């Protein structure tokens, strides 16, 4: 381990990075709150401002992955589709097998200039989580309760609001509904057998209703579906904690552009189409496990400097008052001040550990375990 890597792995460095992210995130959340009156006067301007405020938060995590850990991202895609990325609205279908697959999706967005406006279909509980959840609320993220009877109306209404969105966006969708685990996979394949569907080796059965509603409501707004399959070299099991402590990974992402008009409008036909898509994704993953690469030509979209510039800006803004506080602590020697500082550091440490914990596979939800045998749609 080199000196720089040793420094990155130190707990106090992690604590500083966590402090910058949490405090800057709360500042951005406050600025987003201040845009509420503007929505009544100029909705499109409020949206554009919130896109840039959201970028201030999301790009910090992307910068940690691209610049701090040095993780490399290789893209396998059709050269004819490559020039269209970032120039059109799209639905991005990602596999859900890794702790940082969401971060790789964000990195994909950042490389093509749509990170600030990117959307996801997220569970309703996340709307109440400070920093990320609050950012998503102002970004008009589509939230769901995972109860189809309630979600159909609310998801449809949220998607309809995106028809006049002022900037290009990608809608990131994990059709499996939950992160892959051996137990969830076993239950999902039992459902596949009961429904007469081909079994998948590397994926769970996709939840077709959410995909169909998304496609139907974004017709005329989104131009294509980007079928994206992610894997990591050398059987790496990347974690967010690993990224924050400077560990380097190498991600490979296979992307196919599928024009939206080629996807059936009928719900049953769309469901069959999505199942076929996941069978193909499974074959791509099997090809990767055997050869160490995806099929097709390789592209390596360059890192953009803006995420690093944004991160450095917030580090300067947030660390300056922290430095003044440390100087005051040293000069005053007040026991109360020292105890207060330790309490704040402890709170930051607990907060960031909780947020990291939400990405860990071992702490993934039971969705897909309790409900899969009853309803896989």
């Amino acid at each position: 381990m080199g000196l720089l890597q040793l420094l990155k792995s130190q707990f106090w460095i992690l604590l500083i990075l966590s402090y910058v992210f949490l405090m800057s995130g709360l500042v951005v959340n406050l600025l987003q709150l201040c845009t509420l009156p503007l929505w009544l006067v100029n909705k499109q301007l409020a949206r554009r401002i919130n896109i840039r405020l959201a970028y201030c938060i999301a790009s910090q995590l992307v910068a940690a992955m691209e610049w701090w850990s040095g993780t490399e991202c290789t893209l396998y895609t059709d050269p004819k589709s490559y020039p269209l990325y970032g120039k059109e609205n799209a639905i991005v279908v990602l596999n859900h097998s890794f702790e940082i697959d969401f971060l790789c999706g964000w990195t994909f967005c950042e490389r093509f200039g749509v990170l600030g406006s990117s959307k996801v279909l997220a569970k309703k509980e996340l709307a109440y989580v400070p920093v990320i959840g609050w950012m998503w609320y102002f970004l008009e993220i589509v939230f769901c309760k995972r109860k189809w009877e309630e979600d159909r109306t609310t998801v449809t209404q949220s998607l309809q609001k995106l028809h006049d969105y002022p900037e290009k966006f990608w809608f990131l969708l994990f059709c499996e509904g939950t992160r892959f685990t051996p137990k969830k996979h076993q239950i999902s394949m039992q459902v596949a057998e009961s429904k007469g569907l081909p079994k998948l080796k590397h994926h769970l059965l996709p939840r077709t209703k959410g995909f169909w509603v998304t496609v139907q409501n974004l017709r005329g707004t989104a131009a294509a579906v980007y079928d994206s399959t992610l894997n990591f070299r050398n059987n790496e099991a990347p974690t967010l904690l690993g990224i924050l402590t400077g560990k380097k990974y190498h991600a490979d992402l296979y992307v196919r552009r599928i024009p939206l008009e080629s996807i059936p409008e009928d719900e049953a036909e769309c469901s069959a189409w999505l199942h076929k898509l996941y069978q193909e994704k499974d074959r791509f993953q099997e090809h990767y496990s055997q050869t160490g690469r995806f099929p097709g030509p390789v592209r390596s979209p360059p890192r953009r400097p803006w995420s690093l510039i944004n991160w450095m800006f917030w580090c300067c803004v947030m660390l300056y008052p922290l430095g003044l506080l440390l100087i005051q602590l040293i000069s005053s020697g007040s026991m109360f001040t020292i105890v207060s500082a330790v309490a704040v550091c402890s709170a930051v440490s607990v907060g960031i550990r909780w947020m990291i914990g939400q990405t860990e596979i071992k702490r993934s939800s039971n969705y897909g375990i309790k409900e899969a045998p009853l309803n896989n749609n």
Side-chain angles (χ1 to χ4, degrees):
M1 180 183 293
L3 180 61
L4 181 59
Q5 181 57 42
L6 179 63
L7 180 65
K8 289 180 179 180
S9 65
Q10 298 303 303
F11 174 75
W12 63 273
I13 293 291
L14 176 61
L15 196 61
I16 290 175
L17 297 180
S18 304
Y19 163 81
V20 170
F21 178 74
L22 288 175
M23 298 307 295
S24 64
L26 292 175
V27 170
V28 171
N29 287 160
L30 180 60
L31 294 175
Q32 289 180 305
L33 185 63
C34 293
T35 67
L36 281 177
L38 185 58
W39 286 84
L40 303 176
V41 180
N42 191 328
K43 178 181 177 181
Q44 297 298 63
L45 178 59
R47 281 172 153 178
R48 292 181 186 276
I49 292 174
N50 275 283
I51 287 171
R52 282 143 188 84
L53 289 174
Y55 183 85
C56 290
I57 296 177
S59 66
Q60 290 188 53
L61 292 175
V62 172
M65 180 172 175
E66 291 188 321
W67 299 94
W68 180 255
S69 81
T71 292
E72 298 180 20
C73 298
T74 300
L75 179 65
Y76 294 76
T77 194
D78 178 9
K80 294 180 180 179
S81 300
Y82 186 82
L84 297 173
Y85 299 154
K87 305 295 192 302
E88 61 185 2
N89 296 332
I91 301 168
V92 182
V93 176
L94 290 156
N95 55 314
H96 208 4
S97 304
F98 303 97
E99 291 186 9
I100 63 167
D101 43 27
F102 79 96
L103 188 51
C104 292
W106 278 5
T107 301
F108 184 30
C109 292
E110 164 60 14
R111 297 281 174 105
F112 293 97
V114 293
L115 176 60
S117 57
S118 64
K119 315 293 178 189
V120 295
L121 179 62
K123 56 185 179 181
K124 182 68 175 178
E125 294 80 3
L126 292 177
Y128 307 107
V129 177
V131 184
I132 296 293
W134 295 350
M135 172 194 77
W136 278 349
Y137 175 82
F138 286 97
L139 201 58
E140 300 173 86
I141 291 298
V142 180
F143 292 104
C144 65
K145 296 182 179 179
R146 290 176 170 175
K147 297 179 181 178
W148 178 243
E149 295 76 13
E150 300 179 37
D151 288 338
R152 180 165 189 162
T153 300
T154 56
V155 170
T156 296
Q157 291 174 346
S158 297
L159 290 169
Q160 289 288 329
K161 294 177 182 178
L162 299 180
H163 286 187
D164 64 343
Y165 207 71
E167 298 189 16
K168 300 302 181 187
F169 68 87
W170 288 355
F171 191 93
L172 277 58
L173 194 59
F174 295 101
C175 292
E176 294 164 273
T178 186
R179 188 173 281 117
F180 184 102
T181 67
K183 185 174 182 179
K184 292 176 183 177
H185 180 255
Q186 180 183 10
I187 294 174
S188 184
M189 293 308 97
Q190 290 172 358
V191 174
E193 185 174 4
S194 68
K195 293 188 174 184
L197 296 170
K199 292 186 177 181
L200 305 175
K201 184 177 180 180
H202 303 281
H203 299 84
L204 308 178
L205 283 182
R207 308 268 170 166
T208 60
K209 290 186 182 296
F211 176 78
W212 175 73
V213 166
T214 301
V215 169
Q216 288 301 98
N217 284 281
L218 291 183
R219 288 188 186 275
T221 302
V225 166
Y226 296 166
D227 171 38
S228 308
T229 305
L230 175 70
N231 217 321
F232 286 85
R233 297 186 185 178
N234 304 318
N235 295 316
E236 293 171 328
T239 64
L240 183 55
L241 185 59
I243 292 291
L244 294 177
T245 53
K247 186 173 182 180
K248 182 178 180 178
Y249 304 103
H250 196 130
D252 287 321
L253 184 67
Y254 178 58
V255 180
R256 295 186 296 166
R257 182 185 183 275
I258 305 170
L260 205 64
E261 59 266 21
S262 68
I263 301 174
E265 293 191 28
D266 178 75
E267 183 175 358
E269 293 178 4
C270 184
S271 174
W273 182 92
L274 185 61
H275 281 296
K276 182 180 178 181
L277 182 78
Y278 267 76
Q279 291 159 26
E280 293 172 353
K281 289 171 74 70
D282 218 52
R283 289 195 288 271
F284 295 146
Q285 284 286 36
E286 186 63 22
H287 181 275
Y288 188 94
S289 66
Q290 293 175 358
T291 65
R293 58 169 288 135
F294 286 117
V298 173
R299 289 296 186 101
S300 295
R303 295 180 299 182
R304 305 195 320 154
W306 310 116
S307 61
L308 179 61
I309 293 172
N310 173 74
W311 198 24
M312 292 175 64
F313 167 78
W314 286 110
C315 284
C316 292
V317 171
M318 293 294 114
L319 292 179
Y320 177 72
L322 183 63
L324 293 180
L325 176 62
L326 290 176
I327 293 174
Q328 184 179 1
L329 280 175
I330 295 173
S331 60
S332 68
S334 168
M335 183 59 66
F336 175 77
T337 307
I338 294 175
V339 171
S340 299
V342 171
V344 170
C345 291
S346 300
V348 171
S349 176
V350 170
I352 200 65
R353 191 63 191 90
W354 177 83
M355 295 181 71
I356 292 173
Q358 304 313 299
T359 70
E360 295 177 351
I361 292 178
K362 65 183 180 181
R363 297 190 182 183
S364 62
S365 71
N366 289 328
Y367 189 66
I369 295 179
K370 296 180 179 179
E371 298 182 20
L374 300 175
N375 177 21
N376 195 60
N377 292 324

